[in-house]
Amino acid sequence: MGVTIEDIAREAGVSIATVSRVINKTKPVSAQLRDRVYEVIERNHFKPNSLAQGLITKKTNTIGIIVPDISNAVFGKLTKGINSIFAKLGYTVVLCESQGRLEEEIKLLELQEEKQVEGLLFAGVDVNHTLVKEMQKRDYPVVLVTQEASEDEGVVHTVIHNNEAAMYDAVRFFLDNGHRRIAYLGGPKNDYSSGKKRLKGYRRALEEEGIPVNESYIEQVEFSFEAGYQGMKTLYEENSKLPTAVVTGSDVIAVGAMQYLDNMRVRIPDDISIMGFDDSEFATYIKPELSTVRISYFDEGVKAGRMLLKLIREEEVQPITEYVGHKIIRRSTTKSLN
Amino acid sequence: MGVTIEDIAREAGVSIATVSRVINKTKPVSAQLRDRVYEVIERNHFKPNSLAQGLITKKTNTIGIIVPDISNAVFGKLTKGINSIFAKLGYTVVLCESQGRLEEEIKLLELQEEKQVEGLLFAGVDVNHTLVKEMQKRDYPVVLVTQEASEDEGVVHTVIHNNEAAMYDAVRFFLDNGHRRIAYLGGPKNDYSSGKKRLKGYRRALEEEGIPVNESYIEQVEFSFEAGYQGMKTLYEENSKLPTAVVTGSDVIAVGAMQYLDNMRVRIPDDISIMGFDDSEFATYIKPELSTVRISYFDEGVKAGRMLLKLIREEEVQPITEYVGHKIIRRSTTKSLN
DNA sequence: TTGTAAGCGTTATCAG
DNA sequence: CTGATAACGCTTACAA
């Protein structure tokens, strides 16, 4: 245990410089010495200490990822996408969870700096001015993913799906299918990208169609089954005229809403159509199968990973926002009124 | 960028040793110098390089995790559980995905060693003799989680749910509810813990009850919806006398099986009862709600994390296997025949 | 209480 | 092609 380059050098009867050269193939070494060194390395299971390597080369082959919660399927897929890019390049990932708490996010941003990551993927929740400043203060490039900066548009590298357009398209889908009374059961207000932006898309679609936005058709809740259930309950109880369609902020919210409607003997999609968001694993497991706005978080991770890589290699300069696509998936919870 | 302890020392007019002391509070420093140093540190956003720290102290505050696939909910929850233990202690997690491939697992075991992790949590797939040897070769302690060694029982630290007992209990549940014809639609044969062990529990329960095991009631498939669907199809087509109950290897398999039965107009649970495994998020989203064997992978991560921590602190010596509990959750896919 | 200096395990720069 | 030796940024005896 703890065999070092010096041990190898001594045992092989060469200098540590030579050992280093055979490890890194950085300079020619005679076949004879090379083989001898390799043999000793094998026999002792020698592995170079990457701390020492990183200290001198300034290259750690490490990137960081900060997500609110790794057990959330969205971030699981995202992380997998990111890792798919870096793993094959020999990079390793330092994973941290922030619980979506600002102070924690800042602390982790600093912690990752101490770990000398070469770059960082950051899935924030509300990326306000404070956070943007913190990101810029760092020694390493960071790309924001899954969220965009709420107060400083375009100053920080971002990879995200177009939330406004996605929700716009969802509403547009219902409009095209003859719906006029469309309710919004979306994510929380304090979530800039997945809350505010989507609501904006909802409003825009309605306004473009000349349909006045009915504020009591708007319910903003947490991303959970229970919140979806309660939100639908509010929508149901507080509107004498029910909507014919509901767009939601996530499949989990949608399924909670469906549960409530089922309890109330409201039929889906005959009485009310429901549109989910994300296209979660279970979307096709439930009955009726859930129509939804598909977002590929894996692809988002891949794209963000590629962007970070460019930044690490200094191939990119301007802060830029890149979008990953979305797609309306029609299944069985939506019905045409035409 | 790249401000070092030396820069701070110079600017504060003290020695680097003093700076080190105020950072680590390792030895008393006069209030005057302390404040001066702090001020300079703040102003320059100085963060100690943890590579250099780790190199000299032999303490990296880093642990490794190897899982087959981080987007799989099981490993997401597991990782979250592990991280919940280490994050608050200032430890950081190096996450790697093996795709469940042996060569990759070995490669990552070595890679983590180079990164100087203090310990590792390993979620293998088939932990055979080769892999156990590799684990033991490492400089750091490793605990196996989610799986047990298939060829070397008890030689390596392990945290796992008792797969055999869990499946035994699932079958026992059906037996107690008057079922006699119970089929097994479980995971793949090459998965020691989640495949072989569970099948063993199935057989034991039946044998104890004096019920001869009907081999055509046994189907071993991948952990996927499609495989569950196909497996159920085989069970259905190749048995003139259908089972009254089916125990499955995962909720996903169960839901695939239910889909097939639904297509065949077989009613659940009136014609056939189904028992899932895991208690996935969607178990209560589907209709009827899925009865299942609940495993808390979060708790498993917590327990494994605690064990690794003990090993890192050298408070433990003997390789030991610890089990996390399981629980049969009765919902609506199971019916009593009594 | 403070500073000096010797490492930690590598790579990189020079000579040879 | 090979070997000393000086970094890398930090901690920690050992002195003062």
Side-chain angles (χ1 to χ4, degrees):
Chain A
M1 342 271 119
V3 30
T4 74
I5 199 174
E6 200 176 335
D7 301 327
I8 303 300
R10 192 179 324 109
E11 195 167 328
V14 299
S15 71
I16 61 172
T18 299
V19 177
S20 175
R21 281 167 195 137
V22 349
I23 294 170
N24 303 299
K25 308 184 200 317
T26 174
K27 285 207 171 181
V29 172
S30 69
Q32 190 198 0
L33 286 194
R34 179 165 32 77
D35 294 347
R36 200 154 83 212
V37 169
Y38 268 135
E39 192 273 324
V40 179
I41 285 178
E42 292 301 321
R43 187 148 41 76
N44 292 281
H45 304 126
F46 169 69
K47 306 270 173 304
N49 180 327
S50 69
L51 299 185
Q53 288 183 139
L55 188 56
I56 191 155
T57 59
K58 262 75 177 93
K59 188 123 186 26
T60 55
N61 292 307
T62 296
I63 60 143
I65 299 183
I66 298 177
V67 295
D69 172 7
I70 190 61
S71 74
N72 179 318
V74 166
F75 301 114
K77 290 182 204 153
L78 182 79
T79 300
K80 188 181 179 63
I82 295 167
N83 195 37
S84 76
I85 292 297
F86 286 99
K88 62 185 171 200
L89 266 38
Y91 273 80
T92 243
V93 166
V94 174
L95 177 75
C96 296
E97 290 179 278
S98 67
Q99 331 296 346
R101 294 175 46 239
L102 177 65
E103 323 91 89
E104 200 64 23
E105 290 172 330
I106 294 176
K107 220 187 80 191
L108 293 174
L109 243 17
E110 294 176 345
L111 182 61
Q112 297 267 19
E113 185 160 0
E114 295 181 15
K115 298 289 178 181
Q116 311 299 121
V117 296
E118 294 180 24
L120 180 94
L121 278 312
F122 179 37
V125 169
D126 178 22
V127 187
N128 57 24
H129 187 66
T130 310
L131 218 34
V132 167
K133 280 280 168 260
E134 284 297 328
M135 288 167 61
Q136 295 176 324
K137 214 185 283 179
R138 306 280 68 91
D139 271 1
Y140 49 79
V142 5
V143 356
L144 198 52
V145 59
T146 268
Q147 282 282 333
E148 57 221 301
S150 59
E151 300 180 22
D152 309 70
E153 198 89 29
V155 314
V156 52
H157 296 269
T158 307
V159 172
I160 192 171
H161 45 281
N162 192 328
N163 281 291
E164 195 198 325
M167 189 54 84
Y168 174 91
D169 289 347
V171 176
R172 192 68 251 167
F173 172 89
F174 280 133
L175 256 13
D176 291 345
N177 281 276
H179 291 264
R180 305 286 293 172
R181 298 203 307 282
I182 304 167
Y184 174 89
L185 177 52
K189 310 186 223 281
N190 72 327
D191 187 322
Y192 182 68
S193 300
S194 311
K196 282 211 184 78
K197 283 275 190 165
R198 291 186 195 165
L199 181 54
K200 201 168 156 196
Y202 165 81
R203 289 184 189 278
R204 183 162 62 84
L206 255 33
E207 280 157 10
E208 274 187 23
E209 193 73 8
I211 299 178
V213 174
N214 176 351
E215 295 299 327
S216 68
Y217 268 9
I218 295 176
E219 202 59 35
Q220 296 180 77
V221 303
E222 291 297 311
F223 289 111
S224 73
F225 179 91
E226 186 55 26
Y229 186 97
Q230 290 301 330
M232 192 64 237
K233 185 165 187 282
T234 304
L235 248 21
Y236 183 86
E237 292 175 345
E238 301 186 356
N239 285 288
S240 54
K241 208 165 180 79
L242 288 180
T244 61
V246 182
V247 290
T248 66
S250 77
D251 294 339
V252 175
I253 288 178
V255 95
M258 286 168 69
Q259 179 71 266
Y260 177 76
L261 292 175
D262 195 50
N263 289 167
M264 292 299 110
R265 301 279 177 274
V266 176
R267 291 163 308 163
I268 299 166
D270 292 332
D271 301 327
I272 291 187
S273 287
I274 300 277
M275 178 72 76
F277 202 104
D278 285 346
D279 196 19
S280 309
E281 176 194 17
F282 60 80
T284 55
Y285 296 170
I286 64 174
K287 290 288 158 49
E289 294 190 10
L290 185 64
S291 294
T292 191
V293 181
R294 175 183 293 168
I295 307 286
S296 171
Y297 292 102
F298 179 87
D299 290 348
E300 199 160 323
V302 167
K303 201 156 195 164
R306 292 220 176 96
M307 183 186 276
L308 183 61
L309 207 51
K310 277 189 191 163
L311 289 168
I312 290 174
R313 294 174 173 169
E314 298 174 334
E315 292 171 9
E316 190 106 353
V317 257
Q318 289 291 341
I320 190 176
T321 295
E322 271 188 26
Y323 291 99
V324 305
H326 60 267
K327 190 180 277 182
I328 307 293
I329 306 292
R330 163 192 266 137
R331 287 199 273 247
S332 314
T333 55
T334 46
K335 180 187 162 189
S336 175
L337 260 35
N338 294 330
Chain B
M1 347 263 118
V3 29
T4 75
I5 198 174
E6 199 174 337
D7 301 326
I8 303 300
R10 190 180 325 107
E11 195 166 329
V14 299
S15 72
I16 61 171
T18 299
V19 178
S20 174
R21 281 166 197 140
V22 349
I23 294 170
N24 303 298
K25 309 184 200 315
T26 175
K27 284 208 171 179
V29 172
S30 70
Q32 189 200 0
L33 287 193
R34 179 164 33 75
D35 294 347
R36 200 156 82 213
V37 170
Y38 269 135
E39 192 273 326
V40 180
I41 286 177
E42 291 302 319
R43 187 149 40 76
N44 293 279
H45 303 128
F46 169 70
K47 304 271 172 304
N49 181 326
S50 70
L51 299 184
Q53 288 183 141
L55 189 56
I56 191 160
T57 60
K58 263 75 177 92
K59 188 125 187 27
T60 54
N61 293 307
T62 297
I63 60 144
I65 298 184
I66 298 176
V67 295
D69 172 8
I70 192 60
S71 74
N72 179 317
V74 167
F75 301 114
K77 290 182 204 153
L78 182 80
T79 300
K80 188 181 178 64
I82 294 167
N83 195 37
S84 76
I85 292 297
F86 286 100
K88 62 185 171 198
L89 266 39
Y91 273 81
T92 243
V93 167
V94 174
L95 177 76
C96 296
E97 290 180 279
S98 67
Q99 330 297 347
R101 295 176 45 240
L102 178 64
E103 322 91 271
E104 200 64 22
E105 290 172 330
I106 294 176
K107 218 186 82 190
L108 293 174
L109 243 16
E110 293 176 346
L111 181 61
Q112 297 267 19
E113 185 161 359
E114 294 181 18
K115 298 288 179 181
Q116 310 299 121
V117 296
E118 294 180 23
L120 181 93
L121 277 312
F122 179 39
V125 169
D126 178 20
V127 187
N128 57 23
H129 187 66
T130 310
L131 218 34
V132 167
K133 281 277 167 264
E134 284 297 329
M135 288 167 62
Q136 295 175 324
K137 215 185 284 179
R138 307 280 66 92
D139 271 2
Y140 50 77
V142 6
V143 357
L144 198 53
V145 59
T146 268
Q147 281 281 332
E148 57 220 301
S150 59
E151 299 180 24
D152 309 69
E153 196 90 30
V155 314
V156 52
H157 296 269
T158 307
V159 171
I160 191 172
H161 45 281
N162 192 328
N163 281 291
E164 195 198 324
M167 189 53 84
Y168 173 90
D169 290 347
V171 176
R172 193 66 253 170
F173 172 88
F174 280 132
L175 257 10
D176 291 345
N177 281 276
H179 291 265
R180 306 286 294 173
R181 298 201 307 281
I182 304 167
Y184 174 91
L185 177 51
K189 309 187 223 282
N190 73 327
D191 186 321
Y192 181 68
S193 299
S194 311
K196 282 211 183 78
K197 283 275 190 167
R198 290 186 194 166
L199 182 53
K200 202 168 155 196
Y202 166 81
R203 289 184 189 279
R204 184 162 61 84
L206 254 33
E207 280 157 10
E208 275 186 23
E209 193 73 7
I211 299 178
V213 174
N214 177 351
E215 296 298 329
S216 67
Y217 268 9
I218 295 175
E219 203 58 35
Q220 296 179 78
V221 302
E222 291 298 311
F223 288 111
S224 73
F225 179 91
E226 186 55 26
Y229 186 97
Q230 290 301 330
M232 192 66 235
K233 185 165 188 282
T234 306
L235 247 20
Y236 183 86
E237 293 175 343
E238 301 187 355
N239 284 287
S240 54
K241 206 165 182 81
L242 288 179
T244 62
V246 182
V247 290
T248 67
S250 76
D251 293 339
V252 175
I253 289 178
V255 96
M258 286 168 68
Q259 178 72 266
Y260 177 76
L261 292 175
D262 195 50
N263 289 168
M264 292 299 111
R265 303 278 178 272
V266 176
R267 292 163 307 163
I268 298 168
D270 292 332
D271 300 328
I272 291 188
S273 288
I274 300 277
M275 177 73 74
F277 202 105
D278 285 344
D279 196 18
S280 309
E281 176 193 16
F282 60 79
T284 56
Y285 297 170
I286 64 173
K287 290 286 158 50
E289 293 191 10
L290 184 63
S291 295
T292 191
V293 180
R294 174 183 294 166
I295 307 286
S296 171
Y297 291 102
F298 179 88
D299 290 349
E300 199 160 323
V302 167
K303 200 156 194 163
R306 292 220 176 97
M307 183 186 274
L308 182 60
L309 207 51
K310 277 189 191 163
L311 290 167
I312 289 174
R313 293 172 173 169
E314 297 175 334
E315 293 171 8
E316 191 105 356
V317 258
Q318 288 292 342
I320 190 177
T321 295
E322 271 189 26
Y323 292 98
V324 304
H326 59 268
K327 190 182 278 183
I328 306 293
I329 307 292
R330 163 193 265 136
R331 288 198 273 246
S332 314
T333 55
T334 46
K335 179 187 162 189
S336 175
L337 261 35
N338 293 329

